[in-house]
Amino acid sequence: FPFANFSANVTDVGDLDNIYNAGCSNGFSDGSYGYNAGGSYPGDRANQILKYQLVASANSTDRGDLTVRRSSISNTQSLTHGYSAGGTSASGVALNHIDKWAFANSINATDVGDTTTILEAAGAASSTTHGYAMSGDYTGDAGGNLRTTNVQKWPYASDSNSALCGNMTIARSYGAGASSTTHGYMMGGNHGSDINNIDKIAFASDGFASDVG
C-alpha cells in the first residue's frame, strides 16, 4: 500500500516461503529489498532470513539463516545490516542472542552479542547508530507475567552486548515498534490484558519513555 494514500487498499504482491502465523516482528529494508527474519509457522519456528523485491511483484527468496530457530524477535537495522535480538526458541525458551547479517550478501547471520537478559516479544526500534528493544517478556512458552519496562540498546558501530538505557511507562509484551529519525515508539501490547498505550523514547538521550497517545 502507498504511504501517500491512506485510503488505498492493500494489494497482494507475492508470497513468503511458508505460512507464518506469529512472531515475525519488525521487517527491514535496504531500499531495494524488504527482509523478514525468523517467525513461527505451524509445528515449528523458523531460522530463515527472507528477502523480497520492493520494486516489483515477486515471491520472497531465502538469503540465509539466523543462528537459531526463533519467533517473537526484536528486529532492527543499520544502513548495511539487519539485527535480530532475543526471541523464543524452537523448544519454547526465551533467548538472549543478538544476530547480525549483511544486506549485501547471502551469508548466514552471526551471533555478535547478548541482550541484558533472556527476552522475547519486545518492541523494536532503530536509530542511525543503535538498535533498541523495548519492554518484552522473560518466560517463553511457559507463560507467566514476567514482563519488563526496561529499554535496552546495542551499537551498530561495534559488535557488543546491549545495555539498559531507560524504561517504558508500563511493562508489556507483543507491542508494535516503530521509528522516526529521532524517536522510537511502542504501541499497544499485553500487560495481562491488551492495552492501547503509545510510548515514545528519544534516541538522543537515555531515560524514561512518555505516554503520547
Side-chain angles (χ1 to χ4, degrees):
F1 61 93
F3 291 146
N5 185 354
F6 296 122
S7 63
N9 292 329
V10 173
T11 57
D12 186 340
V13 297
D15 295 324
L16 299 176
D17 71 329
N18 208 323
I19 301 170
Y20 290 86
N21 59 17
C24 294
S25 191
N26 303 52
F28 315 78
S29 172
D30 65 2
S32 299
Y33 289 90
Y35 298 84
N36 178 76
S40 63
Y41 45 76
D44 204 354
R45 290 181 167 92
N47 65 349
Q48 293 94 327
I49 304 169
L50 305 177
K51 75 175 183 179
Y52 45 89
Q53 296 184 57
L54 299 180
V55 296
S57 298
N59 294 336
S60 69
T61 58
D62 188 339
R63 55 79 53 220
D65 295 328
L66 297 174
T67 57
V68 294
R69 295 178 177 272
R70 51 183 147 158
S71 61
S72 304
I73 310 167
S74 299
N75 287 325
T76 74
Q77 70 173 89
S78 70
L79 292 177
T80 57
H81 290 79
Y83 293 78
S84 297
T88 311
S89 73
S91 60
V93 176
L95 300 169
N96 66 351
H97 305 271
I98 301 174
D99 280 8
K100 173 184 175 181
W101 43 274
F103 294 141
N105 58 51
S106 296
I107 298 173
N108 292 338
T110 56
D111 186 337
V112 296
D114 295 328
T115 54
T116 58
T117 62
I118 56 173
L119 186 69
E120 63 172 1
S126 298
S127 74
T128 57
T129 59
H130 290 80
Y132 291 78
M134 303 172 287
S135 283
D137 194 294
Y138 305 145
T139 53
D141 286 350
N145 189 28
L146 296 178
R147 300 177 183 90
T148 179
T149 62
N150 289 343
V151 180
Q152 52 189 289
K153 68 179 182 180
W154 56 92
Y156 295 148
S158 61
D159 297 338
S160 63
N161 297 335
S162 69
L164 296 179
C165 61
N167 295 93
M168 307 305 286
T169 62
I170 188 170
R172 66 180 102 172
S173 55
Y174 293 102
S179 309
S180 72
T181 56
T182 57
H183 291 80
Y185 297 82
M186 188 173 185
M187 298 155 284
N190 187 278
H191 178 67
S193 59
D194 294 337
I195 59 175
N196 64 356
N197 305 60
I198 302 173
D199 275 12
K200 173 183 177 181
I201 60 169
F203 295 145
S205 60
D206 297 340
F208 290 95
S210 54
D211 186 335
V212 296

